[in-house]
Amino acid sequence: MEAPYIIMTEASCELTPELAKRAGVEILPMSFTVDGQTYAHYTDWRELSFEDFYNKLRGGSVSTTAAVNVAELYRAMERHLKSGQDILFLCFSSGLSSTRDACAMAAEELRAQYPERVIETIDTLSASIGQGLLVLLAGQRRLAGDTLQQTRDFVLNTRLHVAHWFTVQDLIYLRRGGRLSMASAAVGTMLQIKPVLSVDQDGKLITTDKIRGRKAAIKSLIRHMEETALPEQNIIFVGHADCPEDAESLKNLILEHYPSCEVPVIPQGPVIGSHTGPGFLALAFLASHR
């Protein structure tokens, strides 16, 4: 008889407490620093609220983030190993964070200490609500009775079918992150250019379109969904960084195509929000390809 196992991931997945409960997963906090103060981000926003975080950014504060370190991961995983559980850890994309490497290091150390336990670490090649969607689907497989190996195989077979599409409101955040030059950001702002971005096969961020105007950018998100989404969609995630009206508009457009689909609207956390700023808008769904 196989040992029970738990699915773990990081707060970069953006799953709300309600969705995390539905998935039956454990979400580890990630840290960020604003105005010289470091906070742990839990998906219930217990240390700094959603509104306060984005108000700080709008007021000119700069937020920086850090990967979860090996010691934190070691302690979090060891608790479950001591209780006789195996672990399937679904990691934030290695194309965007070093957390996956830290997770692999912690797992290697723990395998030496607990040779009877199974510890699997999987690079989701996903981030934000894309990571969250994959984690939710994996959690549902576990709760339905799949073994660790079956759930692991599902994740490996599904991860490149999780499509991420998003746009941003203010180019200054992409410039700070080195994704735009100062000149490009200035010209783009003047022309009201709204980039549409995606996550590629390697789990890295790429710019796919440069759209003029916010409404056109939102329509571009839907166009990409129309082109690649699998015919059957039970759940599609919408994420937003303090732009609830745009998120509802995007949700309504999705429901025009998939009227019976569940479309949770999810607040964007500081792990990604620090680099995209207020006005970030995203959708994640299952697709034929990225």
Side-chain angles (χ1 to χ4, degrees), residues 3 6 55 78 115 126 133 177 180 246:
I6 186 166
N55 283 339
E78 188 177 34
S126 298
L133 178 59
L180 281 179
D246 286 345

Side-chain angles (χ1 to χ4, degrees), residues 216-230:
I218 294 173
K219 289 181 180 178
S220 178
L221 299 180
I222 293 295
R223 177 174 59 80
H224 285 294
M225 184 189 74
E226 292 174 332
E227 291 172 350
T228 63
L230 295 176

Side-chain angles (χ1 to χ4, degrees), residues 264-282:
V265 176
I266 300 172
Q268 180 66 47
V271 177
I272 301 296
S274 296
H275 307 287
T276 61
F280 168 93
L281 184 65

Side-chain angles (χ1 to χ4, degrees), residues 24-230:
V25 300
E26 179 176 339
I27 301 176
L28 301 184
M30 297 182 75
S31 65
F32 65 102
T33 302
V34 185
D35 297 332
Q37 182 170 349
T38 298
Y39 303 88
H41 174 59
Y42 296 83
T43 56
D44 62 4
W45 297 82
R46 68 186 68 169
E47 293 199 3
L48 184 67
S49 73
F50 177 74
E51 294 79 9
D52 287 346
F53 173 71
Y54 285 107
N55 283 339
K56 283 178 179 289
L57 294 191
R58 287 192 176 95
S61 296
V62 175
S63 177
T64 58
T65 60
V68 184
N69 65 46
V70 174
E72 291 171 323
L73 290 162
Y74 185 101
R75 288 193 296 270
M77 288 192 277
E78 188 177 34
R79 288 188 293 104
H80 298 292
L81 300 174
K82 283 182 174 179
S83 70
Q85 289 183 298
D86 294 335
I87 294 171
L88 177 60
F89 203 115
L90 305 182
C91 306
F92 188 7
S93 174
S94 61
L96 296 169
S97 171
S98 62
T99 295
R100 192 261 180 260
D101 293 336
C103 190
M105 291 174 63
E108 191 63 28
E109 292 182 25
L110 286 162
R111 288 188 191 103
Q113 297 293 321
Y114 299 88
E116 74 285 4
R117 298 266 60 85
V118 175
I119 311 167
E120 292 274 5
T121 62
I122 304 295
D123 185 349
T124 64
L125 300 173
S126 298
S128 185
I129 58 171
Q131 179 185 353
L133 178 59
L134 185 58
V135 169
L136 174 67
L137 296 175
Q140 290 174 336
R141 299 293 291 249
R142 184 187 73 85
L143 293 173
D146 278 9
T147 65
L148 188 153
Q149 288 73 24
Q150 288 171 330
T151 304
R152 175 202 61 195
D153 291 346
F154 168 79
V155 171
L156 291 174
N157 291 331
T158 306
R159 61 184 177 179
L160 291 181
H161 293 286
V162 176
H164 315 55
W165 291 98
F166 54 94
T167 188
V168 298
Q169 184 71 279
D170 192 333
L171 300 180
I172 188 174
Y173 297 95
L174 295 181
R175 180 180 68 76
R176 285 176 183 169
R179 300 198 176 274
L180 281 179
S181 68
M182 185 176 294
S184 295
V187 172
T189 298
M190 181 176 65
L191 296 177
Q192 286 295 297
I193 298 298
K194 306 299 180 187
V196 173
L197 303 99
S198 185
V199 175
D200 69 9
Q201 298 280 94
D202 298 318
K204 296 180 180 179
L205 193 63
I206 55 171
T207 301
T208 58
D209 303 311
K210 295 179 180 178
I211 308 294
R212 206 164 175 185
R214 178 73 162 184
K215 289 184 178 179
I218 294 173
K219 289 181 180 178
S220 178
L221 299 180
I222 293 295
R223 177 174 59 80
H224 285 294
M225 184 189 74
E226 292 174 332
E227 291 172 350
T228 63
L230 295 176

